Amino acid sequence: MKVLSSCPSSAVSTSLPNLIIFFIIYHIHKLESAQFSVTGPGHPVTAIVGEATVLPCHLSPRMSAENMEVRWFRSEFLSFVHLYQHGKDQYGNQMPEYHGRTELLKAAITDGNVSLQILNIRRSDEGQYSCFVQDGPFYEEALLELKIAALGSNPLISVESHQDGGIRMVCQSAGWYPEPKVLWRDLSGQELPSLSEAKSLGDSGLFETENSIIIKEHSNQNLSCWIRNTFLNQEKESTVYIADFFFPRVNPWMVALSVILLVLFGFIVLSVYLFKIKGKHLGEINDLQRELDWRRNIVCPGLGSSAPPVQEANVTLDPDTAHPNLILSEDQKSVTWGDTRQDLPDNPERFDSWGCVLGCEGFTSGRHCWEVEVGVGSGGGWAVGVARESVGRKGGISLSPEGGIWAVEWLVGQFQALTSPVTPLPLSRAPSRIRVCLDCDRGQVTFIDAGDEAPIFTFPPGSIPGERIRPWLWVGGGSQLRLCP
């Protein structure tokens, strides 16, 4: 500047192109000087679980990174391990598992050192890291590999049990990574064969190990369990001495007594088993005899049975329960479906959605039978059975035992028992007359084809609850049901 002020104006104008060239060359040189490379270690960095470690990274040539962006990340650029930007640390999108555990070592940042310290190393920290540095539009990065290792707890040796004439010893330890090597050794350092070995990964991702061995009296009583981390080339060891009195002593009289007790115990167990088998068979025979008596009385009431006889019930239909479209005969024995809804009181007992009606009679004990004559028109359907007193009457009801109904149904050419789900019945045509047999004491209902006395279906004993049970009918369009006298 001093030279420029002493020159005449013509000299200034002459040197102006040279001045422009100077500034261009200066900025090009400055831009080139801002370029750098990012360098990390040429080998994996090893870290110990629970300790702190430094991931080395620096700029080459050495220059200040104080005003640059330094980003440490793993697999995703935006979800970072640590971010230094605008002259300070940024924690907005830091990976949650690194919160409070990272620190950029800024003491030498003016010399291009952008190394990262990670505190309280975890097993999950193992893997690849990127050291990314950006200055304006220019950036470079380096990749680093972090290897994790852990020295576990001191081996714990314990006496577990007597086995095979010796003592079973167990060595346990936890907190190792990678998978450790476990050895048993005697006093002279000679390796001993293991009985069993188990290794597993704990919740923290570190290995737990359990190794067992059997030692005999006067042999290998000085025992060491040796666990080694082959990656760190370090190990931990525990030693134990087993005294003679720990080993089992065999007494001939005790052996004889044990055999006698074992034989006696086996005889008692066998006797109890045979007694139970005998009782079970007697019970099955009694149940079978009762079932035969029940079926014999269903077909021929009152013949050849010691059980209470089947009562022929004189069932009539309860008009207060009948759906408004159902038409009952004057003697309340017959019911058909009418196309016109009758103007009847909507009392609580009346079915209002399904064409159902209950019998007037109800049963709480004993054995009862009645017959229903079936007439089916074109496309008609019907169901015959029993229902509990508290069966639902209003709105949609479940035609199943869960809904309080036990019945058989003919619908759209299919005969089926209203179980849950329904049970198809192998009949090509609907019976014209069905006998309904209710055993309140056993909680069982059976349906018989009254024409040929063939069984149709039986709900098993205990199916029907111990409350008042009433005859139940459902009548579809074109069908007519009649209770036989």
Side-chain angles (χ1 to χ4, degrees), residues 103-228:
E103 179 186 2
L104 191 69
L105 302 180
K106 305 185 188 71
I109 196 171
T110 54
D111 292 330
N113 190 335
V114 290
S115 299
L116 180 71
Q117 179 174 250
I118 303 179
L119 306 174
N120 190 21
I121 287 293
R122 302 172 182 173
R123 162 70 182 85
S124 57
D125 294 336
E126 186 172 69
Q128 194 175 74
Y129 290 76
S130 292
C131 175
F132 174 92
V133 182
Q134 181 173 0
D135 184 20
F138 183 81
Y139 64 88
E140 284 288 347
E141 68 177 318
L143 297 179
L144 294 82
E145 185 75 18
L146 179 62
K147 292 288 188 181
I148 302 299
L151 279 175
S153 60
N154 289 323
L156 175 64
I157 303 177
S158 58
V159 177
E160 181 143 308
S161 62
H162 290 119
Q163 185 174 336
D164 299 336
I167 297 177
R168 186 172 187 266
M169 308 292 297
V170 175
C171 177
Q172 296 173 306
S173 184
W176 293 85
Y177 191 83
E179 184 176 334
K181 182 178 181 180
V182 183
L183 294 175
W184 292 97
R185 288 178 171 172
D186 60 15
L187 187 60
S188 63
Q190 185 70 31
E191 183 178 338
L192 302 173
S194 298
L195 174 67
S196 65
E197 183 176 15
K199 293 175 184 174
S200 61
L201 281 173
D203 295 338
S204 59
L206 304 180
F207 281 96
E208 301 172 357
T209 180
E210 180 177 300
N211 198 297
S212 66
I213 189 173
I214 293 179
I215 62 172
K216 301 295 179 70
E217 188 175 8
H218 308 308
S219 172
N220 304 322
Q221 291 180 238
N222 286 283
L223 194 66
S224 294
C225 179
W226 179 85
I227 304 181
R228 184 178 186 83

Side-chain angles (χ1 to χ4, degrees), residues 338-377:
D339 294 333
T340 303
R341 189 180 182 93
Q342 303 173 79
D343 185 14
L344 298 173
D346 187 20
N347 50 291
E349 298 85 6
R350 190 178 306 281
F351 291 93
D352 65 357
S353 294
W354 290 77
C356 304
V357 60
L358 295 176
C360 293
E361 294 71 25
F363 310 101
T364 57
S365 63
R367 307 160 76 190
H368 310 273
C369 275
W370 60 92
E371 292 185 6
V372 182
E373 214 172 66
V374 179
V376 184

Side-chain angles (χ1 to χ4, degrees), residues 30-283:
K30 185 177 180 181
L31 182 61
E32 289 177 347
S33 67
Q35 293 185 359
F36 53 85
S37 63
V38 179
T39 306
H43 54 80
V45 177
T46 300
I48 306 297
V49 171
E51 298 182 6
T53 194
V54 174
L55 302 182
C57 185
H58 64 271
L59 307 184
S60 180
R62 295 185 180 278
M63 62 180 67
S64 176
E66 203 169 12
N67 296 317
M68 299 182 186
E69 176 184 316
V70 180
R71 181 186 297 261
W72 284 87
F73 65 94
R74 299 192 67 175
S75 58
E76 296 185 15
F77 183 82
L78 295 179
S79 183
F80 52 81
V81 175
H82 193 92
L83 177 63
Y84 173 84
Q85 195 178 55
H86 308 307
K88 60 181 180 179
D89 297 314
Q90 309 287 339
Y91 297 101
N93 289 319
Q94 186 182 32
M95 296 173 68
E97 55 266 37
Y98 290 96
H99 284 176
R101 297 176 54 225
T102 61
E103 179 186 2
L104 191 69
L105 302 180
K106 305 185 188 71
I109 196 171
T110 54
D111 292 330
N113 190 335
V114 290
S115 299
L116 180 71
Q117 179 174 250
I118 303 179
L119 306 174
N120 190 21
I121 287 293
R122 302 172 182 173
R123 162 70 182 85
S124 57
D125 294 336
E126 186 172 69
Q128 194 175 74
Y129 290 76
S130 292
C131 175
F132 174 92
V133 182
Q134 181 173 0
D135 184 20
F138 183 81
Y139 64 88
E140 284 288 347
E141 68 177 318
L143 297 179
L144 294 82
E145 185 75 18
L146 179 62
K147 292 288 188 181
I148 302 299
L151 279 175
S153 60
N154 289 323
L156 175 64
I157 303 177
S158 58
V159 177
E160 181 143 308
S161 62
H162 290 119
Q163 185 174 336
D164 299 336
I167 297 177
R168 186 172 187 266
M169 308 292 297
V170 175
C171 177
Q172 296 173 306
S173 184
W176 293 85
Y177 191 83
E179 184 176 334
K181 182 178 181 180
V182 183
L183 294 175
W184 292 97
R185 288 178 171 172
D186 60 15
L187 187 60
S188 63
Q190 185 70 31
E191 183 178 338
L192 302 173
S194 298
L195 174 67
S196 65
E197 183 176 15
K199 293 175 184 174
S200 61
L201 281 173
D203 295 338
S204 59
L206 304 180
F207 281 96
E208 301 172 357
T209 180
E210 180 177 300
N211 198 297
S212 66
I213 189 173
I214 293 179
I215 62 172
K216 301 295 179 70
E217 188 175 8
H218 308 308
S219 172
N220 304 322
Q221 291 180 238
N222 286 283
L223 194 66
S224 294
C225 179
W226 179 85
I227 304 181
R228 184 178 186 83
N229 185 312
T230 55
F231 183 74
L232 295 175
N233 202 25
Q234 297 182 44
E235 67 273 345
K236 291 190 176 183
E237 184 180 10
S238 293
T239 304
V240 68
Y241 174 79
I242 307 299
D244 288 344
F245 64 82
F246 279 101
F247 290 89
R249 298 288 186 271
V250 179
N251 188 318
W253 290 106
M254 291 299 295
V255 172
L257 179 60
S258 299
V259 172
I260 293 172
L261 290 176
L262 184 62
V263 172
L264 182 60
F265 178 75
F267 177 76
I268 293 173
V269 170
L270 181 62
S271 299
V272 171
Y273 175 75
L274 293 175
F275 180 78
K276 286 185 176 181
I277 290 294
K278 181 179 179 181
K280 180 180 178 181
H281 286 326
L282 287 175

Side-chain angles (χ1 to χ4, degrees), residues 294-315:
W294 166 232
R295 290 190 178 275
R296 189 181 298 115
N297 275 292
I298 289 173
V299 177
C300 303
L303 295 179
S305 172
S306 59
V310 177
Q311 301 294 324
E312 291 287 347
N314 182 22
V315 177

